[in-house]
Amino acid sequence: MATNTGNGQSQTAISDLEYDFVTVLHNKAEAVKAYDTYIKDAEQVGSQPCVELFQKLRQSDIEHAKEIRQHLQQVLQHGKM
């Protein structure tokens, strides 16, 4: 994620790896939020198997988000893993 400084050099706000982790974390957070809606929809039609699947998928994304945050913290502190 580089920006041009006007003198032929580029200046990086954040590294590509930092950007990647922030983007993936954002996508996981949006997915978790969406699953709340999907769970309610499945509950409204009385589909317990769908409720359970959405809950399982939501929990999986929460766990992935936690792992992504840990990696992001390492990258922010050390520039890499």
Side-chain angles (χ1 to χ4, degrees):
M1 197 154 147
T3 56
N4 193 332
T5 60
N7 60 3
Q9 296 178 340
S10 63
Q11 183 179 16
T12 304
I14 63 173
S15 73
D16 287 342
L17 190 56
E18 291 168 344
Y19 178 83
D20 295 344
F21 277 117
V22 168
T23 300
V24 172
L25 185 58
H26 173 77
N27 290 337
K28 289 294 180 182
E30 290 292 322
V32 168
K33 184 178 174 182
Y35 281 124
D36 290 337
T37 300
Y38 305 156
I39 290 166
K40 288 176 188 173
D41 290 347
E43 288 172 339
Q44 285 179 351
V45 298
S47 179
Q48 190 59 31
C50 292
V51 169
E52 291 171 8
L53 176 60
F54 289 138
Q55 288 172 336
K56 179 180 174 182
L57 293 171
R58 181 181 183 277
Q59 187 59 41
S60 178
D61 274 347
I62 288 170
E63 294 302 318
H64 289 150
K66 288 178 183 178
E67 185 175 359
I68 293 162
R69 284 180 60 199
Q70 292 171 350
H71 282 264
L72 177 58
Q73 288 172 338
Q74 290 293 314
V75 169
L76 289 171
Q77 289 174 354
H78 306 290
K80 62 180 180 176
M81 287 293 302

